Amino acid sequence: MGTGPACRGRPGVDDHGSSADSRPDRATRDGAGATMFHVNPEPGAEIHHTDPFAVPTGQRSPARRLRGRLAAPVTLWTAPGPAGLTVSSTLVAEGEPDRLLGLVDPEADLWTAIEEAGRFAVAPLGPSHRQLADRFAGLFPSPGGLFATDAWTDTPYGPVPADAGSWAGCRLDTAREYGWALLVEATIETVEIVADTPPLLHHRGRYHQLP
């Protein structure tokens, strides 16, 4: 996730930590490509036990293996359109103004929507959002479209899950190539804190939650 399941931001089942923040060969990059296989422990939501495109352990770069060992929060980025992407490379920097950074796939529909609108929403996901995260990562079927199921709250920055504990509305400042991804920098214009909810984490290609 990040530079997104939809990464296009998507988490794989190998050692890598953030989803869409790497994109060499589309068919084999970090085990992520046009088709992904993600082990989801949610009953009835498992797609496959293994990833046939995963790079053998001995051939993975040390940097990629290190990245996989960095637990990352799973977030959903959305923009008017609507478009959305699961991203696990989100960072908030406090200041005047407060800023938000993230790595996304420049080929993702989300980036096109952000460029056009100049704004986007970011919502941290919780353990109950595993299937939603997989859907926006392109790892789970989405008949009728990504936003056809679940309940959504419309905001000027993009739809956010109705049960999200919090979300931020961001104004796009700039973006530049960073490795295989696009480093997006934005100003946080609004923050809504609704409830204190546990985070959904991504570590070594799988979702985890705090004990």
Side-chain angles (χ1 to χ4, degrees), residues 5-8 76 78 84-86 132-138 146-147 152:
C7 182
R8 303 210 331 200
L76 178 67
T78 63
L85 184 70
T86 302
L132 181 150
D134 270 353
R135 190 167 76 247
F136 278 85
L146 292 173
F147 296 89
W152 299 91

Side-chain angles (χ1 to χ4, degrees), residues 20-63:
D21 24 2
S22 60
R23 43 182 290 291
D25 175 7
R26 297 289 293 183
T28 60
R29 59 174 189 200
D30 291 358
T35 303
M36 283 298 302
F37 297 81
H38 182 70
V39 179
N40 190 330
E42 196 172 41
E46 184 174 300
I47 294 181
H48 205 285
H49 290 291
T50 60
D51 178 4
F53 299 110
V55 178
T57 302
Q59 296 179 24
R60 298 171 192 165
S61 73

Side-chain angles (χ1 to χ4, degrees), residues 120-168:
F120 59 97
V122 175
L125 299 183
S128 65
H129 296 128
R130 292 172 187 253
Q131 193 175 111
L132 181 150
D134 270 353
R135 190 167 76 247
F136 278 85
L139 311 178
F140 198 84
S142 54
L146 292 173
F147 296 89
T149 58
D150 300 302
W152 299 91
T153 299
D154 289 328
T155 81
Y157 300 91
V160 298
D163 59 349
S166 59
W167 65 273

Side-chain angles (χ1 to χ4, degrees), residues 155-192:
T155 81
Y157 300 91
V160 298
D163 59 349
S166 59
W167 65 273
C170 305
R171 183 186 74 245
L172 176 65
D173 292 329
T174 186
R176 58 193 171 97
E177 291 186 5
Y178 208 79
W180 295 109
L182 197 65
L183 175 60
V184 175
E185 301 179 26
T187 295
I188 298 176
E189 295 190 325
T190 184
V191 175
E192 293 286 338

Side-chain angles (χ1 to χ4, degrees), residues 80-100:
L85 184 70
T86 302
V87 179
S88 61
S89 56
T90 302
L91 181 67
V92 172
E94 292 181 87
E96 296 182 358
D98 298 320
R99 307 290 300 284
L100 182 140

